[in-house]
Amino acid sequence: MILSRRFAAPVLALVCCILLAPGYAFSQKTKTPPAKTPPAKTPPSAPAAVKDTAIAKLFEKPSDIKWVRYFKGRFDDVSVVDIALGYDGKNCRGYLNYSKSGDRFRLDGTLDGKILNLEERDGSKAITGRLRGNLDKRRIDAEWTNHNNSLGSFLDAEELAPGQIPNYNCSENKWAGRYITRFNGARADMILIRIHNGSLYGYLWVESDAKTYDLHGEMDREGNYEIEALLPSGKMAGLLQGNLKNLQSTDCNWVGSGEKRTFKFTQRNNYQLGCYDFADYNSSYDAIYPLTNCKNCNTWLDQQVNTWLTECKATIAAQKKQRIPANRSAQRATCWAEIACLTENLLSGYLTYSETWNKQSRGQSFSFDLRSGKLITFDDLFNKSFNINGWLDDFSKRESPKLPHYGADPEYREWLAREGFPMFTLRREGLELSTLFHTQYGRQTLLVPYANLKPYMKKDNPVSDLVK
């Protein structure tokens, strides 16, 4: 759901939307305690500043340099960068380096109190972008725009203490967790994944409602969250609020339809996230997806993402774009995953791939039997004599006109007729048919209740515990 202002299109409503629509536009970290004295008012001694000869050479009078400071951060909470800045009381100059590619840009501008205003230039001294924001309490929070303001990203960076070597990578401050509780005498199960820029997505299953709500929201640096609980139609059923600074538990308040609820959730499981990022002068691509205790599942997910990354590298290399301002950060791609259902026995969801060189996002669905580590196919679910593909095709044609956009949007109908519902996952209530992620419409789904499918299902199928 998941998406980022790195995309000109209104994507990342998401991320890529993961698992998986979210919204293939979208950084928050735990707040760093301020220094006892504001750094900008406490310049180091002149000799300390002069030690960095690369910074000293950027000033006409190196002896006027009041301080040199070093920062480490990320663009859009993904691409890791190193920043070195010097300040002479008015001018602020330095360098920005991408950690993975080593590409370096010169920074030149002003620092007026907290207000930072810098031009970004490449090796030929051409303006490639601008950084505008704040330098305050050992942190840079700034908006980056390219040379003509057609692209934008957010930079969040922390000042490094002398000798500090932080373990900065794109998976830092990202997590996935499963939370459980009792509500109305029955079970409630919530999956949350925190991805870039504090975006949250997942689902909430409330047994007493006999419903699963898709979740899309945000969390700030202090752990406060606000999440929309959505019905299959996309309509909001409730607004969830609470705090997750302590990931072990949360009192989640639901307000919606004139009803107030409180879910006292306890974390049942926490999961690592697989993560990859790369950025240079012209391009950036990244991927993030959950990893569980199922080794075969992790291997499969790794393989799919690595295949996509290889395709990204090959496509970018083949385009042979010049390193000029017009191409700065123009080639962008992101992969994200969404979880549709996660129980002790089942993991199902979506992978979404969004690229600037393709108008339509790509993707694939998955459903794993966690007991065997094997992908679940239609052959595992249905009797051989049953034509499941034909049955689902008839079902989708019959039910599609009931989708919210169908009657009022001709372009939506054309897209749906052309793309159809090529993917499926397994939820607690039934089999979910899904479109590919769309930058405007997101992921469109149809739920087939298990009751409709039960007569055609094998008795020993992998989700027999969900089929009532």
Side-chain angles (χ1 to χ4, degrees), residues 387-407:
N387 181 7
I388 179 61
N389 291 309
W391 194 96
L392 292 177
D393 186 54
D394 291 340
F395 179 89
S396 62
K397 289 178 180 178
R398 185 172 63 252
E399 296 298 319
S400 292
K402 300 177 184 178
L403 292 169
H405 299 287
Y406 197 92

PDB file of all heavy atoms in Angstrom, residues 387-407:
ATOM      1  N   ASN A 387     -14.320 -27.642 -12.858  1.00  0.00           N
ATOM      2  CA  ASN A 387     -13.681 -26.626 -13.688  1.00  0.00           C
ATOM      3  C   ASN A 387     -13.649 -25.308 -12.924  1.00  0.00           C
ATOM      4  O   ASN A 387     -14.494 -24.428 -13.121  1.00  0.00           O
ATOM      5  CB  ASN A 387     -14.446 -26.469 -15.009  1.00  0.00           C
ATOM      6  CG  ASN A 387     -13.811 -25.432 -15.932  1.00  0.00           C
ATOM      7  OD1 ASN A 387     -12.725 -24.918 -15.654  1.00  0.00           O
ATOM      8  ND2 ASN A 387     -14.494 -25.124 -17.034  1.00  0.00           N
ATOM      9  N   ILE A 388     -12.649 -25.161 -12.048  1.00  0.00           N
ATOM     10  CA  ILE A 388     -12.594 -23.993 -11.179  1.00  0.00           C
ATOM     11  C   ILE A 388     -12.368 -22.707 -11.962  1.00  0.00           C
ATOM     12  O   ILE A 388     -12.965 -21.672 -11.663  1.00  0.00           O
ATOM     13  CB  ILE A 388     -11.499 -24.166 -10.091  1.00  0.00           C
ATOM     14  CG1 ILE A 388     -11.417 -22.920  -9.198  1.00  0.00           C
ATOM     15  CG2 ILE A 388     -10.156 -24.473 -10.720  1.00  0.00           C
ATOM     16  CD1 ILE A 388     -12.679 -22.599  -8.445  1.00  0.00           C
ATOM     17  N   ASN A 389     -11.545 -22.743 -13.003  1.00  0.00           N
ATOM     18  CA  ASN A 389     -11.267 -21.525 -13.769  1.00  0.00           C
ATOM     19  C   ASN A 389     -12.527 -21.013 -14.459  1.00  0.00           C
ATOM     20  O   ASN A 389     -12.807 -19.807 -14.452  1.00  0.00           O
ATOM     21  CB  ASN A 389     -10.160 -21.779 -14.790  1.00  0.00           C
ATOM     22  CG  ASN A 389      -8.810 -22.006 -14.131  1.00  0.00           C
ATOM     23  OD1 ASN A 389      -8.383 -21.216 -13.294  1.00  0.00           O
ATOM     24  ND2 ASN A 389      -8.138 -23.078 -14.498  1.00  0.00           N
ATOM     25  N   GLY A 390     -13.298 -21.904 -15.054  1.00  0.00           N
ATOM     26  CA  GLY A 390     -14.546 -21.493 -15.692  1.00  0.00           C
ATOM     27  C   GLY A 390     -15.549 -20.978 -14.685  1.00  0.00           C
ATOM     28  O   GLY A 390     -16.254 -19.990 -14.939  1.00  0.00           O
ATOM     29  N   TRP A 391     -15.635 -21.644 -13.532  1.00  0.00           N
ATOM     30  CA  TRP A 391     -16.570 -21.232 -12.484  1.00  0.00           C
ATOM     31  C   TRP A 391     -16.226 -19.826 -11.980  1.00  0.00           C
ATOM     32  O   TRP A 391     -17.115 -18.983 -11.819  1.00  0.00           O
ATOM     33  CB  TRP A 391     -16.512 -22.232 -11.340  1.00  0.00           C
ATOM     34  CG  TRP A 391     -17.629 -22.130 -10.347  1.00  0.00           C
ATOM     35  CD1 TRP A 391     -18.779 -22.852 -10.315  1.00  0.00           C
ATOM     36  CD2 TRP A 391     -17.686 -21.232  -9.215  1.00  0.00           C
ATOM     37  NE1 TRP A 391     -19.553 -22.475  -9.243  1.00  0.00           N
ATOM     38  CE2 TRP A 391     -18.910 -21.479  -8.554  1.00  0.00           C
ATOM     39  CE3 TRP A 391     -16.836 -20.256  -8.700  1.00  0.00           C
ATOM     40  CZ2 TRP A 391     -19.293 -20.781  -7.416  1.00  0.00           C
ATOM     41  CZ3 TRP A 391     -17.224 -19.551  -7.566  1.00  0.00           C
ATOM     42  CH2 TRP A 391     -18.427 -19.822  -6.929  1.00  0.00           C
ATOM     43  N   LEU A 392     -14.924 -19.564 -11.746  1.00  0.00           N
ATOM     44  CA  LEU A 392     -14.504 -18.252 -11.251  1.00  0.00           C
ATOM     45  C   LEU A 392     -14.683 -17.168 -12.310  1.00  0.00           C
ATOM     46  O   LEU A 392     -14.997 -16.019 -11.982  1.00  0.00           O
ATOM     47  CB  LEU A 392     -13.040 -18.289 -10.791  1.00  0.00           C
ATOM     48  CG  LEU A 392     -12.762 -19.128  -9.545  1.00  0.00           C
ATOM     49  CD1 LEU A 392     -11.271 -19.147  -9.245  1.00  0.00           C
ATOM     50  CD2 LEU A 392     -13.535 -18.599  -8.340  1.00  0.00           C
ATOM     51  N   ASP A 393     -14.510 -17.535 -13.564  1.00  0.00           N
ATOM     52  CA  ASP A 393     -14.722 -16.568 -14.636  1.00  0.00           C
ATOM     53  C   ASP A 393     -16.184 -16.130 -14.665  1.00  0.00           C
ATOM     54  O   ASP A 393     -16.493 -14.931 -14.776  1.00  0.00           O
ATOM     55  CB  ASP A 393     -14.317 -17.178 -15.978  1.00  0.00           C
ATOM     56  CG  ASP A 393     -14.380 -16.178 -17.111  1.00  0.00           C
ATOM     57  OD1 ASP A 393     -13.759 -15.103 -16.984  1.00  0.00           O
ATOM     58  OD2 ASP A 393     -15.049 -16.464 -18.117  1.00  0.00           O
ATOM     59  N   ASP A 394     -17.088 -17.072 -14.548  1.00  0.00           N
ATOM     60  CA  ASP A 394     -18.514 -16.740 -14.504  1.00  0.00           C
ATOM     61  C   ASP A 394     -18.841 -15.899 -13.270  1.00  0.00           C
ATOM     62  O   ASP A 394     -19.630 -14.942 -13.340  1.00  0.00           O
ATOM     63  CB  ASP A 394     -19.354 -18.025 -14.488  1.00  0.00           C
ATOM     64  CG  ASP A 394     -19.299 -18.778 -15.812  1.00  0.00           C
ATOM     65  OD1 ASP A 394     -18.957 -18.153 -16.836  1.00  0.00           O
ATOM     66  OD2 ASP A 394     -19.587 -19.990 -15.821  1.00  0.00           O
ATOM     67  N   PHE A 395     -18.217 -16.263 -12.138  1.00  0.00           N
ATOM     68  CA  PHE A 395     -18.472 -15.538 -10.892  1.00  0.00           C
ATOM     69  C   PHE A 395     -18.019 -14.081 -11.027  1.00  0.00           C
ATOM     70  O   PHE A 395     -18.748 -13.154 -10.632  1.00  0.00           O
ATOM     71  CB  PHE A 395     -17.712 -16.214  -9.742  1.00  0.00           C
ATOM     72  CG  PHE A 395     -17.883 -15.528  -8.415  1.00  0.00           C
ATOM     73  CD1 PHE A 395     -18.927 -15.867  -7.571  1.00  0.00           C
ATOM     74  CD2 PHE A 395     -16.988 -14.545  -8.003  1.00  0.00           C
ATOM     75  CE1 PHE A 395     -19.083 -15.230  -6.343  1.00  0.00           C
ATOM     76  CE2 PHE A 395     -17.139 -13.907  -6.784  1.00  0.00           C
ATOM     77  CZ  PHE A 395     -18.186 -14.247  -5.955  1.00  0.00           C
ATOM     78  N   SER A 396     -16.825 -13.855 -11.575  1.00  0.00           N
ATOM     79  CA  SER A 396     -16.300 -12.490 -11.687  1.00  0.00           C
ATOM     80  C   SER A 396     -17.146 -11.643 -12.638  1.00  0.00           C
ATOM     81  O   SER A 396     -17.375 -10.452 -12.384  1.00  0.00           O
ATOM     82  CB  SER A 396     -14.838 -12.511 -12.144  1.00  0.00           C
ATOM     83  OG  SER A 396     -14.702 -13.082 -13.427  1.00  0.00           O
ATOM     84  N   LYS A 397     -17.631 -12.231 -13.731  1.00  0.00           N
ATOM     85  CA  LYS A 397     -18.472 -11.473 -14.659  1.00  0.00           C
ATOM     86  C   LYS A 397     -19.799 -11.097 -14.007  1.00  0.00           C
ATOM     87  O   LYS A 397     -20.348 -10.016 -14.253  1.00  0.00           O
ATOM     88  CB  LYS A 397     -18.726 -12.307 -15.916  1.00  0.00           C
ATOM     89  CG  LYS A 397     -17.494 -12.458 -16.813  1.00  0.00           C
ATOM     90  CD  LYS A 397     -17.794 -13.335 -18.017  1.00  0.00           C
ATOM     91  CE  LYS A 397     -16.543 -13.483 -18.898  1.00  0.00           C
ATOM     92  NZ  LYS A 397     -16.792 -14.386 -20.054  1.00  0.00           N
ATOM     93  N   ARG A 398     -20.282 -11.973 -13.152  1.00  0.00           N
ATOM     94  CA  ARG A 398     -21.563 -11.729 -12.480  1.00  0.00           C
ATOM     95  C   ARG A 398     -21.430 -10.701 -11.360  1.00  0.00           C
ATOM     96  O   ARG A 398     -22.330  -9.885 -11.137  1.00  0.00           O
ATOM     97  CB  ARG A 398     -22.098 -13.054 -11.929  1.00  0.00           C
ATOM     98  CG  ARG A 398     -23.484 -12.966 -11.315  1.00  0.00           C
ATOM     99  CD  ARG A 398     -24.025 -14.351 -10.979  1.00  0.00           C
ATOM    100  NE  ARG A 398     -23.241 -15.051  -9.980  1.00  0.00           N
ATOM    101  CZ  ARG A 398     -22.449 -16.095 -10.220  1.00  0.00           C
ATOM    102  NH1 ARG A 398     -22.330 -16.557 -11.462  1.00  0.00           N
ATOM    103  NH2 ARG A 398     -21.772 -16.687  -9.246  1.00  0.00           N
ATOM    104  N   GLU A 399     -20.301 -10.726 -10.656  1.00  0.00           N
ATOM    105  CA  GLU A 399     -20.136  -9.883  -9.477  1.00  0.00           C
ATOM    106  C   GLU A 399     -19.443  -8.551  -9.758  1.00  0.00           C
ATOM    107  O   GLU A 399     -19.598  -7.602  -8.986  1.00  0.00           O
ATOM    108  CB  GLU A 399     -19.336 -10.642  -8.411  1.00  0.00           C
ATOM    109  CG  GLU A 399     -20.033 -11.890  -7.885  1.00  0.00           C
ATOM    110  CD  GLU A 399     -21.349 -11.572  -7.186  1.00  0.00           C
ATOM    111  OE1 GLU A 399     -21.394 -10.569  -6.438  1.00  0.00           O
ATOM    112  OE2 GLU A 399     -22.321 -12.316  -7.397  1.00  0.00           O
ATOM    113  N   SER A 400     -18.669  -8.456 -10.847  1.00  0.00           N
ATOM    114  CA  SER A 400     -17.940  -7.220 -11.147  1.00  0.00           C
ATOM    115  C   SER A 400     -18.821  -5.988 -11.218  1.00  0.00           C
ATOM    116  O   SER A 400     -18.433  -4.913 -10.719  1.00  0.00           O
ATOM    117  CB  SER A 400     -17.167  -7.367 -12.463  1.00  0.00           C
ATOM    118  OG  SER A 400     -16.124  -8.298 -12.333  1.00  0.00           O
ATOM    119  N   PRO A 401     -20.008  -6.061 -11.824  1.00  0.00           N
ATOM    120  CA  PRO A 401     -20.862  -4.862 -11.889  1.00  0.00           C
ATOM    121  C   PRO A 401     -21.256  -4.316 -10.521  1.00  0.00           C
ATOM    122  O   PRO A 401     -21.741  -3.184 -10.429  1.00  0.00           O
ATOM    123  CB  PRO A 401     -22.090  -5.351 -12.667  1.00  0.00           C
ATOM    124  CG  PRO A 401     -21.571  -6.477 -13.507  1.00  0.00           C
ATOM    125  CD  PRO A 401     -20.568  -7.168 -12.633  1.00  0.00           C
ATOM    126  N   LYS A 402     -21.064  -5.078  -9.464  1.00  0.00           N
ATOM    127  CA  LYS A 402     -21.409  -4.615  -8.117  1.00  0.00           C
ATOM    128  C   LYS A 402     -20.287  -3.786  -7.480  1.00  0.00           C
ATOM    129  O   LYS A 402     -20.486  -3.191  -6.420  1.00  0.00           O
ATOM    130  CB  LYS A 402     -21.730  -5.807  -7.223  1.00  0.00           C
ATOM    131  CG  LYS A 402     -22.893  -6.661  -7.718  1.00  0.00           C
ATOM    132  CD  LYS A 402     -23.103  -7.874  -6.827  1.00  0.00           C
ATOM    133  CE  LYS A 402     -24.211  -8.782  -7.362  1.00  0.00           C
ATOM    134  NZ  LYS A 402     -24.395  -9.986  -6.522  1.00  0.00           N
ATOM    135  N   LEU A 403     -19.106  -3.753  -8.122  1.00  0.00           N
ATOM    136  CA  LEU A 403     -17.992  -2.986  -7.580  1.00  0.00           C
ATOM    137  C   LEU A 403     -18.301  -1.491  -7.652  1.00  0.00           C
ATOM    138  O   LEU A 403     -18.984  -1.031  -8.579  1.00  0.00           O
ATOM    139  CB  LEU A 403     -16.705  -3.302  -8.339  1.00  0.00           C
ATOM    140  CG  LEU A 403     -16.162  -4.725  -8.125  1.00  0.00           C
ATOM    141  CD1 LEU A 403     -15.044  -5.034  -9.103  1.00  0.00           C
ATOM    142  CD2 LEU A 403     -15.669  -4.897  -6.683  1.00  0.00           C
ATOM    143  N   PRO A 404     -17.805  -0.691  -6.695  1.00  0.00           N
ATOM    144  CA  PRO A 404     -18.214   0.715  -6.559  1.00  0.00           C
ATOM    145  C   PRO A 404     -18.029   1.570  -7.808  1.00  0.00           C
ATOM    146  O   PRO A 404     -18.882   2.399  -8.125  1.00  0.00           O
ATOM    147  CB  PRO A 404     -17.326   1.215  -5.416  1.00  0.00           C
ATOM    148  CG  PRO A 404     -16.991  -0.003  -4.626  1.00  0.00           C
ATOM    149  CD  PRO A 404     -16.908  -1.122  -5.612  1.00  0.00           C
ATOM    150  N   HIS A 405     -16.928   1.415  -8.535  1.00  0.00           N
ATOM    151  CA  HIS A 405     -16.649   2.299  -9.670  1.00  0.00           C
ATOM    152  C   HIS A 405     -17.320   1.849 -10.964  1.00  0.00           C
ATOM    153  O   HIS A 405     -17.322   2.585 -11.951  1.00  0.00           O
ATOM    154  CB  HIS A 405     -15.133   2.375  -9.925  1.00  0.00           C
ATOM    155  CG  HIS A 405     -14.353   2.911  -8.778  1.00  0.00           C
ATOM    156  ND1 HIS A 405     -14.366   4.242  -8.435  1.00  0.00           N
ATOM    157  CD2 HIS A 405     -13.539   2.299  -7.881  1.00  0.00           C
ATOM    158  CE1 HIS A 405     -13.591   4.433  -7.378  1.00  0.00           C
ATOM    159  NE2 HIS A 405     -13.080   3.267  -7.021  1.00  0.00           N
ATOM    160  N   TYR A 406     -17.844   0.647 -10.956  1.00  0.00           N
ATOM    161  CA  TYR A 406     -18.229   0.010 -12.217  1.00  0.00           C
ATOM    162  C   TYR A 406     -19.266   0.815 -13.012  1.00  0.00           C
ATOM    163  O   TYR A 406     -19.107   1.054 -14.215  1.00  0.00           O
ATOM    164  CB  TYR A 406     -18.772  -1.397 -11.948  1.00  0.00           C
ATOM    165  CG  TYR A 406     -18.813  -2.273 -13.178  1.00  0.00           C
ATOM    166  CD1 TYR A 406     -17.734  -3.093 -13.496  1.00  0.00           C
ATOM    167  CD2 TYR A 406     -19.923  -2.285 -14.020  1.00  0.00           C
ATOM    168  CE1 TYR A 406     -17.755  -3.891 -14.625  1.00  0.00           C
ATOM    169  CE2 TYR A 406     -19.959  -3.079 -15.158  1.00  0.00           C
ATOM    170  CZ  TYR A 406     -18.871  -3.879 -15.447  1.00  0.00           C
ATOM    171  OH  TYR A 406     -18.890  -4.663 -16.573  1.00  0.00           O
ATOM    172  N   GLY A 407     -20.324   1.258 -12.357  1.00  0.00           N
ATOM    173  CA  GLY A 407     -21.408   1.897 -13.083  1.00  0.00           C
ATOM    174  C   GLY A 407     -21.089   3.288 -13.579  1.00  0.00           C
ATOM    175  O   GLY A 407     -21.599   3.714 -14.618  1.00  0.00           O
TER     176      GLY A 407
END
